[in-house]
Amino acid sequence: MIRNYVLESPETWQGRIDDTEDYDSFRWHQWIKLIDLNDNSLKAFDGTFAFCLIGFECDFGIGLNKGRVGAAKGPVSIRKELANLPCQFNEEIKIFDAGNIITDGLSLDEAQDCLGEAVNRILDLNMFPIVLGGGHETAFGHFKGLFKHFLKDDESIGIINFDAHFDTRPYEKFGGTSGTMFRQIRDLVQENGFDYNYMCIGIQKHSNTKSLFNFAKENEVKYILAKDIVNRDIPSLFDEIDEFIQSVDYIYITICSDVFSTAFAPGVSAPQALGMDPEKAIVLLKHILSHENVVSFDIAEVSPRFDKDNTTATLAAVLIFSLVTKISTLIEKRKNKKKIKRSRSY
């Protein structure tokens, strides 16, 4: 049984209704289905494709990192913006909401363990996890679930992180925070005899110490500076990204909302005056998703406490929408190719 796990209220998924029968008029709140991960009668999904949302109502890591707390309320804020999005995908694509991990009575490590169990359960049910943070400490819990699930296959997991920060600070003295996750992941995989595969997109020089850049060099961390995304054509970055993706078996995508300029994402723990343009991030995201080995996604550090007109939550919802529609389009294209091949074989 997953501890500190609560179901999402049906009242969260409400919104405009244009039609009650015409699927082409549906919005997400009309299509999403709530599930209980602790229900042992659940069977693995055997349809075309399923996404499953899980919230992580935690910002302990941000507090420990001396940041602006508030991201624990991120999941509900993001869900509200997702509710009215149109169903721009085939009816064969299903979306489930598995509820939330809460932190009552838990330490950060314990909360991350609970999230890991939830992610592992979603994968066991043959669904694609979409984790709604929470602080970016979400990433360590999320990765724990991926590692547990794929460890039995003895295959490699690559992380692509859209972030202004490496988040690889030392944690041995003071414990984990929202700035240590990717060093903790390094230690976890290496202790178990696996390679460390980490790429960060959107790094800001003014937001990372020289020591963190040294760590990146010593551990062969791949990164793309935010200024290079501004100064170069986006397609010119594809080769770097492709080389990384092709070097691993699976890809986990994580986005810290502070990678974006405050003009687009004011509701974050560490605002970025010179952050990324979301339009460029979406182009990169869709390119990454064009590879078939992407297995999970999360978005972190949406903090309603500091948001303006739900701008940051809306951006998070659009990024999730882009992910769902891109994967759905690719699935449809692959199905059509198979039909063409069958027709030519007769």
Side-chain angles (χ1 to χ4, degrees):
M1 297 288 285
I2 302 167
R3 293 187 301 148
N4 278 58
Y5 169 66
V6 296
L7 302 183
E8 187 56 51
S9 169
E11 295 179 2
T12 300
W13 293 101
Q14 296 182 4
R16 178 183 298 171
I17 296 177
D18 296 337
D19 197 288
T20 57
E21 296 181 2
D22 175 26
Y23 174 77
D24 289 346
S25 299
F26 277 18
R27 300 176 187 276
W28 280 36
H29 69 88
Q30 294 173 271
W31 192 242
I32 204 144
K33 303 295 181 186
L34 306 186
I35 60 169
D36 180 356
L37 296 179
N38 280 333
D39 179 357
N40 291 326
S41 68
L42 282 179
K43 304 293 184 184
F45 181 77
D46 63 356
T48 299
F49 200 86
F51 298 93
C52 186
L53 306 177
I54 180 75
F56 188 51
E57 296 184 349
C58 175
D59 54 17
F60 286 174
I62 293 176
L64 293 168
N65 201 32
K66 299 180 180 177
R68 307 191 304 175
V69 296
K73 301 295 184 183
V76 66
S77 180
I78 296 170
R79 282 184 173 100
K80 286 180 179 178
E81 300 308 318
L82 288 171
N84 271 314
L85 294 178
C87 293
Q88 294 277 4
F89 44 81
N90 190 288
E91 288 179 74
E92 293 181 345
I93 303 300
K94 308 301 181 184
I95 306 178
F96 297 93
D97 187 343
N100 302 282
I101 298 297
I102 60 174
T103 57
D104 296 356
L106 298 181
S107 67
L108 175 57
D109 288 343
E110 290 170 332
Q112 289 167 325
D113 285 342
C114 291
L115 176 59
E117 290 298 323
V119 168
N120 182 50
R121 173 70 166 144
I122 290 169
L123 290 165
D124 282 345
L125 290 169
N126 196 31
M127 300 179 187
F128 185 105
I130 298 176
V131 183
L132 312 176
H136 208 184
E137 63 264 32
T138 298
F140 191 40
H142 190 162
F143 187 85
K144 283 184 174 183
L146 295 170
F147 193 63
K148 182 176 182 179
H149 184 82
F150 293 111
L151 178 63
K152 55 182 176 286
D153 295 326
D154 196 25
E155 293 178 309
S156 57
I157 305 168
I159 305 163
I160 296 182
N161 177 27
F162 287 81
D163 203 330
H165 310 91
F166 284 116
D167 289 335
T168 53
R169 294 178 185 172
Y171 63 94
E172 292 80 7
K173 289 184 180 179
F174 305 108
T177 72
S178 64
T180 65
M181 308 80 61
F182 300 106
R183 184 184 288 244
Q184 291 174 279
I185 289 171
R186 190 275 310 261
D187 293 345
L188 173 64
V189 297
Q190 290 187 349
E191 285 166 6
N192 285 275
F194 292 90
D195 292 332
Y196 179 50
N197 302 290
Y198 178 37
M199 181 176 209
C200 201
I201 299 173
I203 285 291
Q204 298 280 4
K205 275 198 169 182
H206 64 264
S207 297
N208 296 272
T209 64
K210 187 175 179 181
S211 175
L212 295 174
F213 279 97
N214 291 341
F215 178 91
K217 183 177 181 179
E218 291 162 5
N219 289 273
E220 298 182 353
V221 173
K222 313 299 182 187
Y223 62 90
I224 299 173
L225 295 172
K227 70 180 183 66
D228 290 336
I229 297 171
V230 173
N231 296 329
R232 290 170 58 182
D233 291 333
I234 292 298
S236 71
L237 302 172
F238 290 170
D239 286 345
E240 286 180 56
I241 294 170
D242 290 348
E243 183 179 356
F244 177 79
I245 292 173
Q246 291 161 8
S247 70
V248 297
D249 295 300
Y250 302 108
I251 289 292
Y252 152 44
I253 303 171
T254 177
I255 297 180
C256 185
S257 299
D258 71 18
V259 75
F260 302 110
S261 164
T262 51
F264 307 106
V268 297
S269 170
Q272 287 293 329
L274 298 174
M276 279 184 67
D277 179 338
E279 294 281 0
K280 293 186 176 182
I282 288 174
V283 173
L284 292 171
L285 175 63
K286 287 185 175 181
H287 178 75
I288 295 165
L289 293 170
S290 67
H291 296 264
E292 294 186 35
N293 59 342
V294 178
V295 294
S296 66
F297 172 87
D298 66 44
I299 187 159
E301 305 222 3
V302 173
S303 186
R305 177 184 173 195
F306 302 104
D307 214 356
K308 296 177 181 178
D309 299 324
N310 299 319
T311 301
T312 315
T314 299
L315 173 56
V318 170
L319 289 163
I320 294 168
F321 176 82
S322 299
L323 172 121
V324 170
T325 53
K326 177 64 176 180
I327 291 177
S328 303
T329 299
L330 291 170
I331 290 169
E332 190 67 23
K333 286 181 178 179
R334 288 165 195 157
K335 283 180 62 180
N336 291 335
K337 283 183 180 180
K338 287 180 181 179
K339 288 179 182 178
I340 292 170
K341 285 182 179 179
R342 288 197 195 101
S343 67
R344 287 175 178 170
S345 64
Y346 291 111

